[in-house]
Amino acid sequence: MVKIKTSDVIDHHRRRFFGTAAMTVAAAHLGMLGSAAPQSGKAKAVQLPAMKPGTHTSFAALKQVDAGLLNVGYVEAGPANEPAVVLLHGWPYDIHSFVDVVPLLASEGYRVIVPYLRGYGTTRFLSSETLRNGQPSVVAVDIVALMDGLKINNAIIGGFDWGARTADIVAALWPERCKALVSVSGYLIGKQEAGKMPLPPKAELEWWYQYYFATERGRAGYDKYRREFSKLIWQLASPKWNFGDATFDRTAAAFDNPDHVAIVIHNYRWRLALANGEAKYDDLEKRLAESPVITVPTITLEGDANGAPHPEPAAYAKMFTGKYQHRVITGGIGHNLPQEAPQAFAQAIVDVGEA
């Protein structure tokens, strides 16, 4: 396990992917597979410059594209040719989680795409008749459709929270579309059967909002107080992140999407088997229920102050059978890791792309 301080600007030669003895030992400790040494003659990974979180507050103009069932709102930066990077946000967050990550990657020549997931921002359903479905496989199908719409054959895919789960699913089910993976909190592919199993009381307490959303009172409460609710989640999930009102408000605007509440509620009810999915996605969910391994090169990340429920790294290391490394980002970093530690997240994208 590699620990990285967000305040450090670490020497270039010490940051090569699997390039030091310390990383090799860490890989062995976690049961990481694949060679820990760089390939002969391969260029050293670029060391990105340090960036203070909050340096950037906005993107260039949003773009829209029809993709699958959606008209997707997204930002794009960097050259139009590949290599491409697709970055996926979680709940209750939005594309601004990557507002500092994007310029770091674009400056290195990556084509960076950051879409609003279904139910967020300017992403809209093409038909009013489409079920407002939030089940995990569907969100991954959206991303494959987006890549098709943008003519991206494969990409490095990274994300956190819902975004990490979605990235994991794409990597597991469509590995030909995922060149490499960066996943905050590791392997997050789940299944409904697991959601039926009771947890110890302390663990159940951490999922309080999931049970709130299972009630009609919870749906109405989230609809009425979605900003207050989301700010509370931010505070609980990132207890040491001193975000300001302007930072929160930029993201909270994305929750005004007319489908936002329906998607969020369906997602959490589906996890507890309290809401049905769509039959056309049953085969995908069956494959995911088998906990498929991820074979593409992967770096998993965890903040040292993540207040949201998350698995221990040792519990999921075996699910990554390609080149793999886990990094702990220190310095009071919580659940929204890309926004709280943009340099560390962007560095993982660069490094995994060199694997």
Side-chain angles (χ1 to χ4, degrees):
M1 183 183 299
V2 179
K3 291 188 177 182
I4 300 174
K5 293 182 180 179
T6 57
S7 59
D8 286 349
V9 179
I10 302 174
D11 179 76
H12 168 79
H13 297 284
R14 294 170 57 209
R15 288 298 301 275
R16 288 177 295 174
F17 186 59
F18 297 123
T20 68
M23 290 183 180
T24 304
V25 172
H29 178 68
L30 283 178
M32 299 173 185
L33 304 180
S35 173
Q39 297 177 10
S40 176
K42 192 170 184 178
K44 298 174 183 177
V46 172
Q47 172 63 44
L48 296 177
M51 175 176 286
K52 181 180 178 181
T55 297
H56 300 87
T57 59
S58 62
F59 295 103
L62 277 168
K63 297 182 177 183
Q64 300 288 142
V65 63
D66 286 351
L69 300 173
L70 304 170
N71 178 261
V72 179
Y74 68 101
V75 294
E76 181 173 2
N81 59 308
E82 297 186 17
V85 175
V86 177
L87 302 177
L88 305 175
H89 67 82
W91 171 85
Y93 305 94
D94 84 326
I95 61 175
H96 289 88
S97 290
F98 302 101
V99 72
D100 287 321
V101 173
V102 168
L104 284 170
L105 295 177
S107 69
E108 293 299 324
Y110 292 95
R111 179 189 182 188
V112 189
I113 307 294
V114 190
Y116 281 113
L117 301 186
R118 55 169 57 196
Y120 294 80
T122 60
T123 292
R124 297 289 189 275
F125 285 88
L126 294 173
S127 171
S128 61
E129 302 301 315
T130 303
L131 176 68
R132 273 38 178 175
N133 184 345
Q135 70 185 98
S137 64
V138 176
V139 184
V141 169
D142 290 344
I143 300 308
V144 173
L146 174 65
M147 293 172 66
D148 289 343
L150 296 178
K151 296 179 171 57
I152 296 173
N153 292 324
N154 59 47
I156 302 170
I157 306 178
F160 72 105
D161 195 84
W162 288 23
R165 180 175 294 106
T166 302
D168 290 350
I169 293 172
V170 175
L173 299 186
W174 298 280
E176 71 280 3
R177 308 303 298 269
C178 183
K179 176 184 177 182
L181 171 69
V182 173
S183 180
V184 177
S185 297
Y187 188 90
L188 297 178
I189 296 174
K191 51 190 174 183
Q192 281 187 321
E193 285 302 313
K196 296 176 182 179
M197 299 297 293
L199 300 173
K202 185 177 180 180
E204 297 283 21
L205 179 63
E206 293 180 332
W207 289 107
W208 63 273
Y209 56 88
Q210 186 168 250
Y211 302 113
Y212 181 63
F213 289 162
T215 69
E216 286 307 304
R217 177 188 175 108
R219 171 194 277 273
Y222 184 60
D223 192 9
K224 182 176 181 179
Y225 298 109
R226 66 185 81 175
R227 277 174 165 74
E228 294 88 345
F229 196 101
S230 297
K231 181 175 282 190
L232 175 61
I233 295 295
W234 281 33
Q235 293 164 343
L236 295 174
S238 298
K240 297 185 179 181
W241 182 30
N242 295 316
F243 60 88
D245 288 343
T247 296
F248 176 77
D249 290 343
R250 276 189 291 272
T251 286
F255 311 149
D256 292 335
N257 183 295
D259 302 306
H260 178 74
V261 173
I263 295 296
V264 170
I265 297 300
H266 186 269
N267 177 279
Y268 285 104
R269 291 184 180 180
W270 183 91
R271 293 194 207 181
L272 295 178
L274 299 176
N276 294 325
E278 293 179 86
K280 62 182 177 179
Y281 302 113
D282 284 352
D283 287 344
L284 294 179
E285 295 297 347
K286 288 178 182 177
R287 292 171 63 188
L288 294 175
E290 296 173 354
S291 300
V293 297
I294 291 174
T295 60
V296 304
T298 300
I299 293 177
T300 57
L301 303 174
E302 192 60 80
D304 64 339
N306 185 0
H310 60 278
E312 290 298 320
Y316 55 70
K318 66 180 181 297
M319 303 308 298
F320 301 97
T321 61
K323 289 186 177 180
Y324 174 65
Q325 186 184 83
H326 179 73
R327 298 178 180 179
V328 176
I329 312 303
T330 63
I333 305 304
H335 192 59
N336 186 4
L337 192 149
Q339 196 162 2
E340 298 176 59
Q343 193 273 349
F345 186 90
Q347 188 68 58
I349 293 287
V350 171
D351 291 349
V352 80
E354 296 293 325

